[in-house]
Amino acid sequence: QSVLTQPPSVSAAPGQWVTISCSGSRSNIGDNYVSWYQQLPGTAPQLLIYDNNKRPSGIPDRFSGSKSGTSATLGITGLQTGDEADYYCGTWDSSLSAVVFGGGTKLTVL
Amino acid sequence: EVQLVESGGGLVQPGGSLRLSCAASGFTFSSYTMNWVRQAPGKGLEWISSVSRSSTNIHYANSVRGRFTVSRDNAKTSLYLQMNSLTADDTAVYYCARDITGGNGFHHWGQGALVTVSS
């Protein structure tokens, strides 16, 4: 059971828009920055979003992040088949003194 | 170019020990907190430990506290994870990871080292 809750799967058609939610509590998402990761099969995770809504260099603006209260959301527009991957949210938990991740969401581009 | 290269993975019997290393290059190693993250086969990401720049602050996940020890050698630009009392639940790919500069998020990851605990 992960500290952060994500839907196990989401799906959408190419070119469409999808969102992935990440729910937590005050001690983690509520009080700390959220990051998002994409993991393609057999590869290390890649940072997509940091500090709630910032994109590292090289990440296209099709990817966006937001945070409200104890929840965060990753948005992906203009879906491509190459976006099929597992997506994880993560943040610091002040009560646990630990980094916590969501259980991951598998994105299928139909 | 930032590079993180893990080594030391392999097959170990339950109750055994293993030491992972992460060789860092392409950045000022002593300026960054470093982390270990693992992923069991078919499962999600699990953060297990972090060590601050001068090793002053060290944190562990509850699942490994008391069994795993993280350390670093800034002169050798290397990160280590000593793993003792290993169980099957510790079977995973172990990644070392570094924060993005000036922010919160693991920007750089190694390729991972597979640790298999089995008799």
Side-chain angles (χ1 to χ4, degrees):
Chain A
Q1 191 80 359
S2 301
V3 172
L4 305 181
T5 301
Q6 297 180 234
S9 64
V10 296
S11 61
Q16 295 299 304
W17 169 62
V18 71
T19 60
I20 298 173
S21 61
C22 177
S23 178
S25 65
R26 179 175 179 176
S27 65
N28 42 67
I29 292 178
D31 285 346
N32 297 286
Y33 288 111
V34 176
S35 53
W36 288 92
Y37 304 86
Q38 177 193 64
Q39 188 176 32
L40 299 170
T43 68
Q46 177 183 28
L47 181 65
L48 292 177
I49 299 290
Y50 69 100
D51 288 359
N52 302 332
N53 55 18
K54 299 177 182 177
R55 282 176 288 106
S57 175
I59 301 300
D61 60 6
R62 300 190 299 107
F63 296 91
S64 63
S66 64
K67 187 182 100 168
S68 178
T70 59
S71 294
T73 302
L74 172 71
I76 311 172
T77 61
L79 278 171
Q80 303 172 2
T81 55
D83 295 331
E84 285 202 336
D86 294 322
Y87 293 83
Y88 297 90
C89 57
T91 187
W92 179 255
D93 190 299
S94 304
S95 294
L96 297 175
S97 292
V99 173
V100 291
F101 287 105
T105 299
K106 182 175 182 61
L107 169 64
T108 301
V109 181
L110 302 169
Chain B
E1 179 193 4
V2 172
Q3 284 199 327
L4 299 171
V5 180
E6 299 94 341
S7 61
L11 175 64
V12 60
Q13 292 188 338
S17 298
L18 209 57
R19 188 194 196 207
L20 300 182
S21 299
C22 171
S25 61
F27 66 101
T28 304
F29 182 74
S30 59
S31 296
Y32 291 87
T33 291
M34 296 298 296
N35 297 265
W36 287 100
V37 178
R38 71 182 180 184
Q39 187 170 35
K43 303 297 184 182
L45 302 175
E46 179 189 15
W47 171 88
I48 55 174
S49 185
S50 68
V51 54
S52 63
R53 292 174 293 178
S54 59
S55 303
T56 303
N57 292 309
I58 290 176
H59 300 283
Y60 295 102
N62 288 337
S63 59
V64 305
R65 186 176 291 112
R67 300 187 300 122
F68 289 13
T69 303
V70 66
S71 62
R72 64 188 295 163
D73 185 331
N74 288 341
K76 295 183 178 180
T77 65
S78 292
L79 175 72
Y80 306 101
L81 185 67
Q82 176 66 43
M83 304 183 292
N84 299 331
S85 303
L86 286 163
T87 73
D89 287 343
D90 297 315
T91 294
V93 174
Y94 287 73
Y95 297 100
C96 60
R98 198 210 86 178
D99 271 333
I100 190 167
T101 303
N104 300 273
F106 298 147
H107 193 198
H108 298 283
W109 298 70
Q111 85 286 354
L114 176 61
V115 173
T116 302
V117 184
S118 175
S119 56

